[in-house]
């Protein structure tokens, strides 16, 4: 059997830096998701990949893989303590090394490895994360974990302690197996079902890696997204001619390892994806700008409500009447007996033929009460005052 591979990585739509690193080469595959301020996360994830690059897959035993992880941890931990700019840095590591017809995985953190075999997707690694622990304890469901506010909190990371033992998983390979190693920027956004569908549908690992990263971007791209994909094919299977160079990413030209062959087709393809994603991103920015900002929407709603209130009040005010005085005249007014900011809300409609000074005390009281009436009631009240005098 033969292993063919592809990789893609993108900074995503929210982060300003890509702190993920990956490694793909004959017999060694890894994704490391760095964390820490400024450049520290990148340093941590790259350091881990550099140690893995020193492996000799076919001749090294699984112990050598564990050794490489241990050395990576020691270096990251020492630099994190010794260099203030790198304080607190760390990285996840999910690595696979080929041993004959078996892949040996070493795993720390919440990056993931999946195996698609016979149409079924299986997660090979267990997340070292707070939410995964809560799920294992039965305190939350996997569905709750997927949207949990602390889902990015990891419980084990390289570089955070003196000794960080990796989980080890051995997977005997079968022709047709498809494997993906990805950072949580992919697995946290793309549902397992869809990861399985992409792996099953695409013709080659390069396209699969690109599709998975593009899918993560399309679903919000809130984290660096990295995918390394490996297909297990027959020795004489010539249907796919994949990238086989060793390569190390993400693709920062100045940081690329200088030994020959690292800049493989995978890098070129990944760069093409980055261009496409950048265009996708600029479309998204435009779409976001085209939508009115929330504050403006809020102001529009408030103005609309005020307008409705004012119109409603005006309609009500023009439907009520009251009787009052103007000098010595008794007048039927339309509107409430109110003056707001110097503006009278009432207008005269009709004047009684009898002056206020001629009214009896109880009649004056009724006029002074400014009782609200209909127009008809107001007119009748004026007539009753006139006939009584
Ligand atoms: Mg991440």
């Amino acid at each position: 059997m033969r292993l063919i591979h592809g990789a893609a990585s993108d900074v995503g739509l929210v982060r300003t830096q890509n702190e993920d690193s990956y490694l793909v080469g004959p017999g060694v595959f890894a994704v490391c998701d760095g964390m820490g301020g400024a450049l520290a996360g990148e340093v941590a994830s790259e350091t881990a990949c550099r140690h893995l690059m020193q492996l000799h897959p076919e001749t090294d035993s699984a112990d050598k893989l564990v050794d490489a992880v241990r050395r990576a941890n020691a270096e990251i931990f020492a630099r994190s303590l010794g260099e203030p700019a790198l304080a607190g840095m760390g990285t996840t590591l999910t690595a696979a090394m080929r041993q004959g017809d078996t892949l040996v995985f070493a795993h720390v953190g919440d990056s993931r490895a999946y195996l698609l075999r016979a149409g079924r997707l299986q997660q090979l690694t267990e997340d070292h994360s707070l939410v995964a622990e809560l799920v294992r304890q039965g305190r939350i469901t996997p569905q709750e974990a997927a949207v949990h506010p602390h889902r990015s909190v990891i419980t084990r990371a390289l570089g955070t302690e003196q000794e960080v033992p990796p989980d080890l998983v051995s997977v005997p390979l079968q022709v047709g197996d498809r494997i993906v190693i990805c950072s949580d920027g992919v697995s946290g956004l793309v549902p397992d079902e869809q990861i399985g569908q992409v792996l099953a549908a695409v013709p080659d690992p390069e396209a699969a890696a690109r599709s998975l990263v593009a899918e993560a971007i399309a679903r919000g791209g809130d984290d660096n997204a990295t995918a390394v994909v490996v297909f297990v094919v027959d020795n004489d299977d010539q249907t796919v001619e994949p990238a086989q160079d060793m390569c190390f990413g993400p693709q920062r030209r100045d940081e690329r390892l200088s030994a020959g062959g690292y800049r493989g087709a995978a890098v070129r393809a990944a760069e093409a994806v980055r261009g496409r994603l950048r265009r996708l991103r600029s479309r998204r920015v435009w779409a976001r700008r085209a939508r009115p900002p929330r504050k403006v929407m809020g102001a529009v709603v408030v103005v609309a409500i005020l307008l409705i209130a004012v119109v409603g009040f005006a309609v009500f005010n023009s439907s009520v009447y009251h009787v009052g005085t103007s000098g010595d005249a008794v007048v039927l007014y339309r509107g409430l007996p109110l003056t707001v900011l110097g503006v009278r809300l009432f207008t005269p409609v009709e004047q009684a033929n009898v002056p206020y000074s001629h009214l009896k005390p109880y009649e004056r009281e009724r006029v002074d009460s400014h009782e609200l009436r209909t127009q008809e009631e107001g007119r009748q009240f004026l007539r009753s005052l006139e006939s009584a005098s």
Side-chain angles (χ1 to χ4, degrees):
M1 65 178 59
R2 192 157 79 87
L3 305 190
I4 56 175
H5 59 252
S9 183
D10 195 88
V11 67
L13 301 173
V14 174
R15 304 292 178 87
T16 54
Q17 276 162 330
N18 194 345
E19 298 188 323
D20 288 357
S21 292
Y22 66 81
L23 176 66
V24 286
V28 195
F29 315 97
V31 168
C32 299
D33 177 350
M35 61 192 182
L39 293 168
E42 285 177 63
V43 171
S45 64
E46 275 185 27
T47 303
C49 282
R50 280 172 202 278
H51 281 279
L52 294 170
M53 281 186 72
Q54 291 158 17
L55 290 168
H56 303 95
E58 288 301 339
T59 53
D60 283 351
S61 64
D63 292 347
K64 289 278 167 58
L65 174 59
V66 175
D67 274 348
V69 175
R70 185 173 297 138
R71 277 184 277 110
N73 180 63
E75 183 181 335
I76 298 166
F77 187 58
R79 290 186 68 186
S80 153
L81 291 181
E83 299 174 43
L86 303 180
M89 71 172 170
T91 185
T92 72
L93 173 145
T94 301
M97 183 178 81
R98 183 175 182 179
Q99 293 228 280
D101 288 352
T102 297
L103 270 185
V104 183
F105 289 84
H107 167 71
V108 171
D110 68 347
S111 298
R112 288 182 177 177
Y114 293 92
L115 166 67
L116 180 77
R117 175 177 289 171
R120 205 175 75 81
L121 188 79
Q122 185 189 343
Q123 190 179 326
L124 297 172
T125 51
E126 279 192 1
D127 294 350
H128 299 139
S129 68
L130 181 67
V131 290
E133 194 50 50
L134 293 175
V135 170
R136 280 193 284 273
Q137 292 172 6
R139 290 166 63 182
I140 60 172
T141 65
Q143 291 74 32
E144 287 165 340
V147 294
H148 197 281
H150 300 309
R151 62 187 178 278
S152 61
V153 174
I154 57 178
T155 51
R156 213 191 294 179
L158 284 195
T160 56
E161 286 173 71
Q162 195 85 46
E163 292 287 334
V164 180
D167 291 347
L168 286 181
V169 184
S170 269
V171 179
L173 298 173
Q174 297 177 8
V175 168
D177 283 351
R178 296 183 168 189
I179 291 140
V180 59
I181 305 175
C182 61
S183 61
D184 67 330
V186 172
S187 57
L189 288 173
V190 186
D192 287 7
E193 195 191 346
Q194 179 124 24
I195 292 177
Q197 284 167 0
V198 169
L199 278 185
V202 293
D204 66 84
E206 200 64 63
R210 269 185 267 135
S211 297
L212 288 171
V213 169
E215 189 63 38
I217 304 282
R219 288 172 182 265
D222 65 4
D223 193 3
N224 305 147
T226 301
V228 163
V229 177
V230 179
F231 282 9
V232 181
V233 297
D234 254 334
N235 274 331
D236 48 5
D237 184 344
Q238 296 304 322
T239 53
V240 275
E241 210 27 80
Q244 284 296 6
D245 300 341
M246 173 80 82
C247 103
F248 184 68
Q251 304 75 38
R252 288 184 300 279
R253 274 165 224 285
D254 48 334
E255 294 280 334
R256 192 164 300 126
L257 300 184
S258 54
Y262 291 140
R263 188 187 160 75
V267 171
R268 289 193 299 278
E271 278 171 352
V273 177
R274 288 170 72 79
R276 229 179 51 204
L277 292 176
R278 215 170 289 128
R279 287 194 293 281
L280 176 73
R281 209 173 305 147
S282 58
R283 272 209 302 281
R284 287 186 152 253
V285 168
W286 174 82
R288 256 191 234 128
R289 287 209 185 114
R291 224 177 295 139
R294 209 171 278 174
K295 271 187 189 164
V296 172
M297 287 298 290
V300 166
V301 168
V302 167
V303 167
I305 288 171
L306 280 178
L307 215 67
I308 290 168
V310 165
V311 168
F313 178 78
V315 167
F316 168 73
N317 193 51
S318 66
S319 72
V320 294
Y321 293 78
H322 74 276
V323 173
T325 53
S326 175
D328 197 33
V330 179
V331 181
L332 175 63
Y333 291 104
R334 181 183 197 174
L336 293 165
L338 295 174
T339 302
V340 175
L341 301 173
V343 179
R344 286 161 32 141
L345 298 184
F346 51 93
T347 51
V349 176
E350 192 178 330
Q351 190 176 331
N353 290 331
V354 54
Y356 182 74
S357 52
H358 288 196
L359 297 181
K360 299 182 179 72
Y362 74 87
E363 287 170 335
R364 290 184 189 176
E365 247 173 60
R366 289 192 65 192
V367 169
D368 294 340
S369 74
H370 303 314
E371 192 184 321
L372 294 186
R373 303 160 195 274
T374 65
Q375 186 171 21
E376 191 49 40
E377 287 165 356
R379 287 208 165 112
Q380 279 173 10
F381 181 52
L382 292 192
R383 298 296 89 78
S384 70
L385 294 177
E386 288 162 356
S387 60
S389 60

